[in-house]
Amino acid sequence: MITLSDILLPEDILLDLEVGSAAALFDEVGQNMQRWHGLPRVQVAAALGQREHFGSTALGQGVAIPHGRLAGLRQTHAAYVRLRRPMPFGAPDGKPASDFIVLLVPERATEEHLGILAGVSALFTDPRFRAALHACDDPHGVRALFRSWLPAAA
């Protein structure tokens, strides 16, 4: 099973991004995915926006996991975005979101997609992980944290 740390690349880690809406966030992610992976910016932003239209992907505690399926995509792509200023994102706890894990998955990657979502949810429910992540100030440090973090024993 693929995990987030297997697919999250330094070029897909955007720190201190300044956006004021979900649409602007999705467009920035689309631009990044087009620049580094050749994915069509408009298609990326539209897939993310379409999924969000059905209901917020915010988990709470300042975290959201926007995700979308792309026709013709051969492998899952991920991005981590940390906003300079949190923005409302329809979280169940009412808190604005500042941390976004964005997943773009092939149309038929259901089990892989669900496995990655579960792993991300487990990471971000740990307040120690969130604090360590916010202490990272460069993409390589963020990627290293995702690769090395072991969940607390239950």
Side-chain angles (χ1 to χ4, degrees):
M1 179 70 67
I2 289 179
T3 65
L4 179 65
S5 65
D6 295 327
I7 59 174
L8 184 63
L9 304 174
E11 59 266 22
D12 297 320
I13 297 171
L14 309 174
L15 303 176
D16 296 323
L17 191 65
E18 291 209 42
V19 296
S21 69
L25 170 68
F26 298 158
D27 188 61
E28 289 286 339
V29 171
Q31 287 179 46
N32 192 72
M33 289 293 166
Q34 183 169 305
R35 179 181 318 115
W36 293 106
H37 306 290
L39 303 178
R41 181 195 97 210
V42 172
Q43 187 180 356
V44 168
L48 295 170
Q50 182 179 23
R51 167 55 189 89
E52 208 63 36
H53 179 74
F54 291 116
S56 177
T57 55
L59 301 177
Q61 299 299 315
V63 178
I65 310 176
H67 50 282
R69 295 181 186 281
L70 292 179
L73 191 63
R74 294 181 180 200
Q75 67 184 44
T76 300
H77 290 276
Y80 168 68
V81 180
R82 182 169 61 213
L83 301 183
R84 183 175 300 259
R85 283 184 289 281
M87 69 177 178
F89 211 76
D93 63 3
K95 294 182 180 179
S98 60
D99 293 293
F100 295 83
I101 295 292
V102 180
L103 298 175
L104 300 168
V105 299
E107 286 180 304
R108 301 199 192 312
T110 303
E111 285 186 37
E112 177 180 287
H113 179 200
L114 294 176
I116 294 170
L117 285 173
V120 169
S121 296
L123 276 175
F124 278 96
T125 57
D126 185 339
R128 296 173 310 119
F129 174 78
R130 293 193 313 270
L133 185 60
H134 289 175
C136 291
D137 59 1
D138 72 274
H140 293 283
V142 168
R143 184 168 191 244
L145 182 65
F146 275 107
R147 287 176 134 337
S148 67
W149 191 265
L150 298 174

